[in-house]
Amino acid sequence: MCAYLNTSRRRIESMDSEIKVIQGVAFGQVELLREAHEEGLDLDAVLTNSEGRTPMTEAILGGMGEPEAVRALIELGADPSRPDDRGCTPWLACISRADDRVVAEEMAEIREILEQAGASKAQQGVFDLWDRARRGDVDGVRAMLDAGQSPVSRELCPLGAAVGMGHAEVAALLLEHGAPPDGAAVEDHGTGCLMSAADKGRFDLVQLLVRHGADLDRTQPPDPDWTAARIARDAGHDEIADWLVEQGAGAVKGGIPPEAREGGPKAKYLSLYQSGVDAANYDLDTDAIVDRLMQWDDRFGIHLVDVRTDGSFTVQFDRLDEDLDAFAREVYAFCPDIVDQGFGEMTEAAEQFEETGRGLPDDMKQLLDGLDPDDEDFGLKVLGRWLRTHRALGLWWD
């Protein structure tokens, strides 16, 4: 036990001050916060790689929330009213989680700590307006706006809440009082209000937002084609997509064809369209890839798994032909990389195992046993063995 404690102490001492704070607020380890403070770390400074949070807002918003960490930070001199880089104060951070039953007890305790410390409640109005907007409380929203509450906020977006929940009358009220039609801090969050309305198929909200000046060509990073019109098309709301283009939105590129939507003959391959899988260097678009997979499905029965945004995916087969040589050649013609960059280079992989002093894995031994690496069909034969053993293929096109 003593050895363990000594090891733990050495590990803590080797941490830099910010890591101690991160650990301290994440797990309520007050002693780490005190050490970081003694080392001179500014407890009001924004933490690295924390989405702009300070130790205080991270202690509230991270995980379950850590009341002891909040109390310790205040005792050590952290400002209980300081907003973080996103404009969120500790008070707003706390009340924004108030209806989360999982952390209700922790938030109640943190709220009491903040009140005792005299934390600013200036953002209470921002939260109340957002809360009324998401609940569709037209009269409540109108009363707050008439009383002077601004609908413009970086921290929370009342308009986004209204659009997301489909409350058109509330959305109209907020826009009439100056709410930005694209939403709050869109650059931070990525998705604008128009995108949300288009995704939900709310033509009335789409038209309302466009009338108030929503950006038709705003895109969602990292895809430069991911506009409201593209989102509407992919969600099957063609009328909205066409209307947005008529209003001046850029032509919709790509998109999910009707036959790949729910109930369509290609719905099984929806994930490939969503991920934009293609093989442009082999003149294969998503449709061409799906057409080949549909042929395999008719012959063998297939399932797609692990579809990734880099264009790779795995095909699992229910059954395969006894003679796999011809099918291996078919696979190679369809996806040359599987041999040229994969099974055809298995000897190099085996040599690397040997060079490191590790024995070959059993499955690699079975794949290579008795095969001549100089055989021009070496890669195809390894592919055939793999198919026979695993009845699955990972496909990709570089």
Side-chain angles (χ1 to χ4, degrees):
M1 179 64 73
C2 290
Y4 170 78
L5 290 174
N6 289 336
T7 301
S8 298
R9 173 54 55 186
R10 285 195 299 272
R11 187 161 54 244
I12 290 172
E13 289 173 351
S14 69
M15 295 180 183
D16 68 31
S17 299
E18 183 166 294
I19 292 177
K20 289 180 181 179
V21 170
I22 293 171
Q23 290 275 70
V25 298
F27 303 107
Q29 294 179 289
V30 174
E31 69 279 4
L32 291 182
L33 298 176
R34 292 192 178 118
E35 287 186 20
H37 176 62
E38 290 171 1
E39 292 165 3
L41 186 74
D42 181 0
L43 296 179
D44 285 326
V46 171
L47 295 169
T48 305
N49 299 321
S50 66
E51 299 179 347
R53 294 175 182 171
T54 62
M56 186 83 73
T57 53
E58 179 65 25
I60 298 169
L61 294 171
M64 294 285 291
E66 289 292 340
E68 291 307 313
V70 173
R71 181 179 285 108
L73 287 166
I74 292 173
E75 290 173 353
L76 292 169
D79 184 352
S81 300
R82 186 201 185 286
D84 61 20
D85 266 13
R86 300 160 306 129
C88 182
T89 62
W91 183 259
L92 181 59
C94 180
I95 61 176
S96 68
R97 303 188 74 182
D99 62 354
D100 185 343
R101 296 180 181 179
V102 176
V103 297
E105 185 175 334
E106 287 80 5
M107 292 305 115
E109 186 174 352
I110 289 173
R111 181 174 181 143
E112 183 177 345
I113 294 169
L114 292 173
E115 286 183 323
Q116 291 174 352
S120 171
K121 300 181 181 179
Q123 290 180 319
Q124 183 72 49
V126 171
F127 174 80
D128 289 343
L129 183 63
W130 173 84
D131 187 47
R132 286 170 170 75
R134 68 171 174 156
R135 291 189 283 108
D137 181 359
V138 179
D139 292 337
V141 169
R142 182 182 288 111
M144 290 195 69
L145 293 171
D146 289 344
Q149 177 62 48
S150 172
V152 181
S153 167
R154 180 188 174 192
E155 305 82 43
L156 292 173
C157 182
L159 178 63
V163 170
M165 299 303 293
H167 301 310
E169 189 174 353
V170 172
L173 263 177
L174 292 164
L175 287 163
E176 289 166 7
H177 282 76
D182 288 317
V186 181
E187 287 73 18
D188 295 340
H189 305 301
T191 302
C193 293
L194 185 61
M195 296 176 182
S196 177
D199 183 48
K200 294 178 181 296
R202 289 297 301 267
F203 207 158
D204 56 340
L205 284 169
V206 167
Q207 292 175 318
L208 173 68
L209 292 164
V210 171
R211 282 200 305 272
H212 282 268
D215 184 355
L216 296 169
D217 291 319
R218 179 176 293 282
T219 62
Q220 180 173 314
D223 189 342
D225 297 326
W226 202 252
T227 62
R230 167 71 184 272
I231 289 171
R233 183 81 73 204
D234 283 0
H237 308 308
D238 294 320
E239 185 180 10
I240 292 177
D242 293 340
W243 184 83
L244 287 169
V245 172
E246 290 173 4
Q247 305 312 303
V252 182
K253 299 178 181 180
I256 298 173
E259 57 268 26
R261 297 170 188 161
E262 186 175 355
K266 295 183 178 180
K268 185 174 186 175
Y269 309 97
L270 174 62
S271 58
L272 298 185
Y273 288 99
Q274 291 173 327
S275 298
V277 172
D278 64 21
N281 50 335
Y282 293 105
D283 296 323
L284 295 173
D285 59 13
T286 309
D287 276 325
I289 292 172
V290 168
D291 287 343
R292 176 61 63 91
L293 294 174
M294 291 178 74
Q295 295 174 20
W296 290 356
D297 195 27
D298 288 340
R299 290 160 59 189
F300 311 118
I302 68 169
H303 307 277
L304 301 185
V305 297
D306 197 23
V307 179
R308 302 185 178 185
T309 55
D310 65 1
S312 64
F313 60 96
T314 298
V315 182
Q316 294 179 337
F317 298 89
D318 290 336
R319 58 192 178 277
L320 284 170
D321 294 333
E322 284 296 320
D323 180 6
L324 288 174
D325 290 343
F327 185 57
R329 293 184 182 280
E330 179 182 338
V331 170
Y332 178 47
F334 175 54
C335 180
D337 293 338
I338 198 171
V339 171
D340 295 342
Q341 299 180 29
F343 292 110
E345 298 182 343
M346 289 291 285
T347 52
E348 286 83 348
E351 289 172 358
Q352 291 176 3
F353 272 98
E354 297 291 353
E355 289 172 0
T356 59
R358 293 176 291 169
L360 289 183
D362 290 339
D363 59 347
M364 187 177 288
K365 287 180 181 178
Q366 294 173 3
L367 286 173
L368 301 179
D369 186 40
L371 294 182
D372 181 0
D374 295 325
D375 185 339
E376 64 179 10
D377 290 333
F378 170 78
L380 288 169
K381 291 178 179 179
V382 176
L383 171 58
R385 288 185 175 185
W386 176 272
L387 284 167
R388 181 171 290 105
T389 302
H390 297 281
R391 288 198 308 198
L393 281 174
L395 299 178
W396 75 95
W397 294 264
D398 284 340

